[in-house]
Amino acid sequence: MNRTDKIFGIAALFDTPDAIINAAEKVTAAGYKKIDVNTPYPVHGMNKAMKLKPSKLGFITLFFGLSGAAFAMLFMFWAMSLEYPMIIGGKPFFSLPAFIPITFEVTVLLATLSTVIGMLTFFFNYPNNNHPLNGTAYIKAVAVDKFGICIEASDNKFDKDVIEQLLHHLGANEIETIYYPKDEVYPIFQPKYLMFLAATAIATSLVTYFVLNKLMFMDPFNWMMVQDKLIPQEKSEVFEDGFGMRKPVEGTVARGFIPYPFMGEPTPADVLSNPFLPTRENIELGKKKYLIYCSPCHGNYAEGDSRLRGQFPNPPTLHSVRSREMSDGMLYHIITNGQNIMPSYASQVTREERWAIVNYIRVLQRAKFARESDLQEIKKESAANVE
Amino acid sequence: MSNSAIEFKAKQIPDTLSKLGLIILAIGVVLGILAFYTDHSRALFNYLIAFMFLLSVGVGSIFLISLEYITGAVWSVPFRRIVEFLASVTILLFILVIPLLLNMHDLFHWTHTEAVAGDEILKGKSPYLNTSFFIIRVLAGLVIWAFFYFAFTRNSKKQDLSQDQHLTTKNIRLSAVFIPIFAITITVSAVDWLMSLEPHWFSTIFGIYFFSGTVLAALAAATLIVVLLKEKGFLHPKIIDDHLYSFGALMFAFINFWGYIAFSQYMLIWYANLPEENFWFLHRWEGGWIVVSILLIIIHFVVPYSALLSQPAKIDPKRLKFASIWIMFAHLFDLYWLIMPNLESEHGYSFSSIDLVFPVSVVGILILVFNYNAKKYNLLPLGDPKLERGLNFRL
């Protein structure tokens, strides 16, 4: 026999819902506290007959419902308004109406899940596989068409004979004494079974791995990797020349650039004239760019005396007669086109900056060969500054 | 079902009730007439609010009757008479609608032919929104409701004497016919009386919005009467607090339903933000109306939701009494929010004491209607085959 001798309780079966309500009322009135009623369907009025207190389950629902609402609202506030604010449909970052459906859904989700899980864990003590009533004739009967009441032995007033008499008196059809079952070791906890589970898991994984990765490999998600498209700097069969990338149409001008038509010509400079007035800003820009790009060879004051002197063919001074007599256009042409060993600076220095450098070179030349009138002008200025 | 099982003679409804009702109604009518003399259009709009409230209670009650039959509900059988009494308000609407039909020109912008002629949108809507078709629709609705009211109650009252179960079957069939008709008529009423006040506006969910309020008003009125009668001991002694549970639960459900529908209507319009739709809400967000709009959310959703949330609150007569009075007020407030912004006045909300006048008459009319019916008919449907099960209902 698969049971101990310890009594769990006494169970009785009744035929009608009225009888079970009557029985529950009488048993409760007799002062028994540890009772339970099992019926095939919910019987209206049972709560009152058993003097049950309202279930505490509602508080779990309320707590998790409110948590869900708070979580959803705070998360959306953080995500949409603080962490990654994005304008969607011209609405404010924190737009309550748009958040309400999601808040509602999360509230309902958490409330229902917590109700079900809370009911199973806190109120039903799941899995509870060895409840003494499991497998008894009593529980089989109440699962079909009988109404049963069970008084547990843990009740203070428990007395087998008195209770059997009371239940007889109430008109019970069958009275069954329920015993605690023996402690069972469930097969799930036996080492053999666990080993079997582990072996099955490993075997299944290995088979799956080999079948999917070796025998019949398929790209799991290749619709982004494999596309009909041109990849920069790769061969392509779309065009006859085999290039994926196309060359711009002849005569295309890049944005922000003005084409320079005199590249490679020796003396085009007669046509060019400086479009920028030597204002203070322009000369300062020229100075800045000159010190960056020109001074490493020509020297800070254009004397051809930079630190590179002696390591290269010496860069010329810009204070020579030839340099001073060159037109602005010629200087510009040399910077743009290059000369002898000097490369073109057109790609590093913009058009405006090149003209500014020309202006600055003129400043340096004039400072080196200042006229008497210039000196007087400077004296006047410095006197004015002293006052 | 043995008919000897239920022997119940209700206590006589005291005469003071009819006096009370008459006094309240007299005060209401006098004040109402005064209101019409002081500010005709404002009084007219307030009259429309009162009319729509009575329509809600009356037609909503017919819906509750049919709901009981079609679902086979048992708990509500002992209260069906009270709902039937309230449903008779529908007959009064034939008289109450006359002032509205006579003053349609002041109520509805689309009745102004010169305005419609210069307005492409109204011209497009004129096959539906024109005076003669409007009157036909209104009268057809009233006749349909009155027909179903008489059909339901005639069968129900015949059953008191004949105990004939076939009358219940007949009413179940009637309910199956009535419910789709109710859905159409209540939508048409909502569109005609409420939405067409602002004829440029449209919202397809509007009928359901008004329906949710209608059922709430009818439920709340029935609950209030049941709780009051139970307190004073007019009901069958077998009726206990358990019976009230479904009143509370249904009111709670419809509060949620109203909130859901009201929010759905708002959110879709808010999201799309199209000028032809959103002006209706923008108007209710201007000036003082913003206070009324926010109060509507609190009065119609937050307070009754919190009041009815817990299970004990759905059984406790005291809390139900508070909730039912509150919900009736909330429905009035909802109608106020729907109707009053269409009153052509300066922008923004302005309160007037006229707004308080017409609800007084509503209370008087409801008392008198109940009193008249309660004196004439049984308070329990004695012949109903489900009555005994209804009386023995336990949670």
Side-chain angles (χ1 to χ4, degrees):
Chain A
M1 213 154 76
N2 195 19
R3 63 166 176 83
T4 59
D5 289 334
K6 200 179 165 212
I7 292 178
F8 167 73
I10 291 170
L13 290 175
F14 293 85
D15 278 339
T16 63
D18 288 345
I20 193 69
I21 289 218
N22 179 43
E25 270 169 3
K26 294 281 153 52
V27 170
T28 314
Y32 294 102
K33 296 258 155 54
K34 300 270 169 102
I35 61 166
D36 204 359
V37 171
N38 304 88
T39 56
Y41 57 85
V43 175
H44 284 299
M46 187 51 78
N47 288 5
K48 200 168 266 180
M50 289 171 74
K51 294 210 166 65
L52 285 182
K53 283 183 190 123
S55 166
K56 297 273 180 292
L57 187 59
F59 290 101
I60 293 182
T61 313
L62 181 68
F63 175 77
F64 280 95
L66 291 176
S67 316
F71 166 75
M73 209 41 121
L74 286 174
F75 180 79
M76 279 183 287
F77 169 64
W78 171 75
M80 306 295 292
S81 315
L82 298 180
E83 183 61 19
Y84 204 94
M86 228 195 308
I87 295 171
I88 297 170
K91 302 286 189 263
F93 291 134
F94 186 81
S95 40
L96 193 62
F99 292 175
I100 282 181
I102 296 160
T103 310
F104 171 76
E105 298 297 341
V106 177
T107 309
V108 172
L109 179 77
L110 276 199
T112 45
L113 283 185
S114 68
T115 307
V116 173
I117 294 170
M119 191 169 70
L120 294 179
T121 52
F122 296 125
F123 295 88
F124 296 172
N125 300 320
Y126 259 35
N128 208 1
N129 278 334
N130 53 353
H131 193 280
L133 287 178
N134 279 1
T136 58
Y138 166 80
I139 205 77
K140 283 172 187 163
V142 298
V144 184
D145 62 346
K146 294 279 190 270
F147 303 82
I149 186 165
C150 176
I151 304 173
E152 292 172 22
S154 53
D155 196 289
N156 290 332
K157 290 182 69 180
F158 189 80
D159 182 326
K160 193 162 180 277
D161 300 329
V162 175
I163 289 172
E164 279 180 354
Q165 218 168 359
L166 172 68
L167 291 173
H168 260 302
H169 183 68
L170 290 170
N173 286 338
E174 284 167 53
I175 295 176
E176 187 183 351
T177 311
I178 314 274
Y179 295 93
Y180 278 102
K182 278 191 185 129
D183 276 345
E184 274 182 69
V185 179
Y186 293 99
I188 193 171
F189 297 121
Q190 284 169 359
K192 248 189 202 170
Y193 182 68
L194 290 177
M195 293 288 284
F196 169 72
L197 275 187
T200 315
I202 291 167
T204 320
S205 314
L206 285 176
V207 169
T208 314
Y209 176 80
F210 277 109
V211 168
L212 292 184
N213 292 291
K214 305 290 171 199
L215 293 180
M216 37 185 290
F217 177 75
M218 281 181 275
D219 279 328
F221 309 108
N222 62 3
W223 59 82
M224 286 180 82
M225 247 160 65
V226 183
Q227 294 181 23
D228 288 337
K229 66 173 182 186
L230 291 175
I231 296 166
Q233 302 180 13
E234 296 241 332
K235 211 181 143 185
S236 161
E237 284 161 11
V238 178
F239 301 107
E240 267 181 29
D241 58 3
F243 286 102
M245 296 169 80
R246 300 281 81 198
K247 282 174 189 144
V249 179
E250 212 156 303
T252 306
V253 176
R255 292 178 69 124
F257 285 89
I258 292 177
Y260 184 70
F262 309 117
M263 273 314 214
E265 286 180 26
T267 49
D270 296 347
V271 210
L272 287 169
S273 66
N274 195 338
F276 293 98
L277 289 174
T279 58
R280 180 176 283 275
E281 290 81 30
N282 190 261
I283 287 171
E284 262 161 22
L285 174 69
K287 182 181 181 186
K288 196 174 153 196
K289 296 295 163 183
Y290 176 88
L291 289 175
I292 292 171
Y293 294 105
C294 313
S295 71
C297 292
H298 289 287
N300 286 353
Y301 298 102
E303 311 224 28
D305 59 346
S306 77
R307 61 184 182 278
L308 293 177
R309 199 174 178 83
Q311 300 174 35
F312 269 107
N314 285 342
T317 169
L318 299 180
H319 297 295
S320 62
V321 180
R322 182 171 160 263
S323 297
R324 278 187 289 151
E325 283 176 356
M326 270 180 195
S327 64
D328 279 5
M330 191 61 203
L331 284 173
Y332 178 81
H333 177 69
I334 293 170
I335 302 174
T336 311
N337 186 48
Q339 192 184 50
N340 300 331
I341 196 176
M342 174 176 166
S344 160
Y345 279 80
S347 58
Q348 293 108 305
V349 190
T350 66
R351 175 172 167 268
E352 186 191 354
E353 287 163 357
R354 272 175 265 149
W355 284 115
I357 289 171
V358 171
N359 279 336
Y360 183 63
I361 291 170
R362 293 289 180 227
V363 168
L364 289 175
Q365 288 172 344
R366 187 155 173 194
K368 182 90 176 174
F369 298 94
R371 291 185 286 260
E372 196 60 33
S373 56
D374 293 340
L375 292 174
Q376 277 169 6
E377 196 70 24
I378 287 171
K379 270 181 200 158
K380 254 192 230 166
E381 259 184 41
S382 52
N385 284 345
V386 168
E387 283 166 23
Chain B
M1 187 69 45
S2 64
N3 43 8
S4 62
I6 300 146
E7 289 280 333
F8 176 64
K9 188 89 181 79
K11 274 206 295 186
Q12 199 61 38
I13 303 284
D15 291 335
T16 46
L17 188 68
S18 62
K19 275 180 200 152
L20 180 75
L22 273 175
I23 290 166
I24 293 177
L25 181 62
I27 294 171
V29 168
V30 170
L31 286 175
I33 290 168
L34 276 177
F36 266 105
Y37 275 108
T38 37
D39 187 341
H40 179 77
S41 55
R42 191 164 191 118
L44 190 65
F45 275 78
N46 272 297
Y47 183 83
L48 179 62
I49 295 174
F51 175 79
M52 288 313 283
F53 185 82
L54 288 173
L55 189 149
S56 300
V57 172
V59 185
S61 296
I62 307 180
F63 173 70
L64 290 180
I65 297 171
S66 66
L67 202 60
E68 181 198 305
Y69 280 112
I70 201 125
T71 57
V74 165
W75 66 272
S76 61
V77 176
F79 310 115
R80 198 180 66 233
R81 272 297 140 75
I82 290 157
V83 181
E84 283 174 12
F85 296 169
L86 284 173
S88 69
V89 175
T90 321
I91 309 305
L92 275 183
L93 297 180
F94 279 105
I95 306 163
L96 293 173
V97 79
I98 293 169
L100 290 173
L101 293 181
L102 290 179
N103 288 296
M104 268 171 72
H105 194 72
D106 297 331
L107 216 47
F108 298 110
H109 177 64
W110 50 264
T111 53
H112 300 216
T113 37
E114 71 287 351
V116 174
D119 192 325
E120 277 304 316
I121 294 173
L122 294 189
K123 232 190 268 176
K125 290 183 179 182
S126 59
Y128 184 85
L129 284 182
N130 59 67
T131 316
S132 43
F133 190 32
F134 180 88
I135 293 172
I136 291 170
R137 284 196 306 271
V138 167
L139 291 181
L142 289 176
V143 167
I144 288 170
W145 294 329
F147 166 76
F148 278 99
Y149 163 73
F150 279 122
F152 278 125
T153 49
R154 201 177 61 103
N155 286 341
S156 171
K157 275 154 197 165
K158 251 207 274 180
Q159 207 175 33
D160 276 9
L161 302 172
S162 66
Q163 319 272 345
D164 186 2
Q165 296 196 13
H166 292 295
L167 291 169
T168 301
T169 321
K170 260 189 196 168
N171 269 0
I172 292 174
R173 289 197 183 121
L174 266 179
S175 314
V177 178
F178 174 68
I179 285 179
I181 291 178
F182 168 75
I184 296 166
T185 48
I186 203 77
T187 308
V188 168
S189 312
V191 171
D192 283 354
W193 287 116
L194 299 174
M195 204 160 94
S196 82
L197 287 170
E198 180 43 86
H200 293 99
W201 188 67
F202 56 93
S203 164
T204 45
I205 209 171
F206 198 77
I208 306 172
Y209 179 84
F210 180 61
F211 158 74
S212 63
T214 300
V215 179
L216 266 178
L219 266 174
T223 312
L224 180 64
I225 292 175
V226 166
V227 171
L228 288 176
L229 286 177
K230 191 169 150 11
E231 268 180 1
K232 300 277 181 331
F234 286 98
L235 292 184
H236 194 284
K238 272 189 159 175
I239 292 173
I240 58 167
D241 288 354
D242 284 7
H243 284 83
L244 301 176
Y245 176 76
S246 291
F247 278 121
L250 275 174
M251 282 199 289
F252 183 67
F254 271 91
I255 283 290
N256 279 292
F257 183 60
W258 180 88
Y260 190 91
I261 297 300
F263 178 72
S264 301
Q265 175 172 285
Y266 173 74
M267 195 189 75
L268 291 180
I269 289 173
W270 169 84
Y271 223 120
N273 206 12
L274 299 174
E276 59 262 46
E277 296 172 338
N278 66 9
F279 74 94
W280 194 82
F281 279 108
L282 284 176
H283 185 42
R284 282 158 179 76
W285 211 248
E286 259 168 14
W289 279 113
I290 186 171
V291 183
V292 181
S293 296
I294 290 171
L295 271 180
L296 179 72
I297 301 171
I298 296 168
I299 290 176
H300 210 309
F301 182 72
V302 178
V303 172
Y305 179 89
S306 322
L308 288 171
L309 181 60
S310 75
Q311 203 224 17
K314 296 183 185 96
I315 306 178
D316 184 8
K318 274 186 196 131
R319 281 195 259 181
L320 278 181
K321 190 156 75 173
F322 162 77
S324 54
I325 294 172
W326 184 278
I327 287 172
M328 281 200 275
F329 169 69
H331 185 57
L332 259 179
F333 196 77
D334 185 20
L335 290 170
Y336 187 82
W337 179 79
L338 289 171
I339 291 170
M340 286 313 277
N342 298 303
L343 178 63
E344 273 176 58
S345 61
E346 71 282 5
H347 276 298
Y349 174 66
S350 64
F351 178 78
S352 161
S353 48
I354 295 172
D355 300 347
L356 301 174
V357 167
F358 289 91
V360 176
S361 323
V362 169
V363 174
I365 286 173
L366 287 180
I367 291 176
L368 285 177
V369 162
F370 172 77
N371 182 61
Y372 170 78
N373 285 289
K375 288 217 166 122
K376 213 167 155 192
Y377 304 110
N378 272 330
L379 211 49
L380 272 184
L382 286 175
D384 196 294
K386 291 186 295 181
L387 179 61
E388 192 174 338
R389 274 164 67 207
L391 285 173
N392 291 328
F393 173 82
R394 293 292 177 272
L395 267 185

